[in-house]
Amino acid sequence: MLFQRGQAYSQDLRERVFALAEAGQRVGEIAAALRLSVSYVSKALSRWQRTGVRTALPQSSHRVSKLSSLHALIRARVAADPNTTIAALRAWLQTDQQVRVSVGAMWQTLKHLNLTRKKVTPGGRTGPPQSCRSA
């Protein structure tokens, strides 16, 4: 089972952990059998014994983006000028909204808003560079 960051394990997998624990298997054996970390199995079983909760809790460690309150403005700005660059959006945010963000934060915000930016090569073509050799 591969863990994906930010995603809880499935309830089916959790139930298998609890079933093996009820059958008397030790934490290390459960972890090895289900290809999980000993830490996860131990914490899941501890919480179950302490609180009786067998399901995943809602995640609460997410930080709110500093651009979340500006999503409507960013969407309107991109709609008004679809060819605007990330650098231009960052400059606009800094001058008009007094918000300074990194290229990565701007990129993630556009991705979250489903406003993709097309990457264009210096020659104006899109896509991978073509070979200079003739066929």
Side-chain angles (χ1 to χ4, degrees):
M1 170 112 245
L2 294 175
F3 175 73
Q4 291 184 355
R5 186 176 177 179
Q7 234 177 12
Y9 285 123
S10 70
Q11 189 59 36
D12 175 60
L13 180 63
R14 290 171 179 279
E15 292 301 329
R16 286 188 274 159
V17 168
F18 301 131
L20 290 173
E22 288 172 338
Q25 285 197 13
R26 299 168 71 161
V27 171
E29 295 170 340
I30 296 170
L34 298 177
R35 296 180 56 194
L36 298 169
S37 70
V38 172
S39 174
Y40 167 75
V41 173
S42 174
K43 289 176 185 177
L45 293 175
S46 294
R47 189 178 66 165
W48 173 46
Q49 291 167 352
R50 208 176 51 249
T51 65
V53 176
R54 293 170 74 128
T55 59
L57 297 176
Q59 295 186 2
S60 60
S61 62
H62 299 289
R63 288 181 18 193
V64 177
S65 167
K66 70 163 85 172
L67 296 177
S68 62
S69 62
L70 301 172
H71 283 180
L73 288 173
I74 294 169
R75 190 180 299 277
R77 179 74 177 206
V78 172
D81 183 11
N83 292 324
T84 189
T85 63
I86 289 180
L89 286 171
R90 289 178 63 224
W92 166 73
L93 283 171
Q94 188 169 358
T95 57
D96 289 9
Q97 306 300 319
Q98 288 74 44
V99 176
R100 189 173 181 165
V101 294
S102 67
V103 172
M106 190 74 245
W107 187 265
Q108 287 299 320
T109 300
L110 294 174
K111 181 179 173 184
H112 176 77
L113 295 173
N114 294 323
L115 300 171
T116 58
R117 311 302 319 142
K118 185 181 288 186
K119 295 180 182 177
V120 179
T121 60
R125 294 178 287 116
T126 58
Q130 296 178 353
S131 173
C132 294
R133 287 193 280 163
S134 59

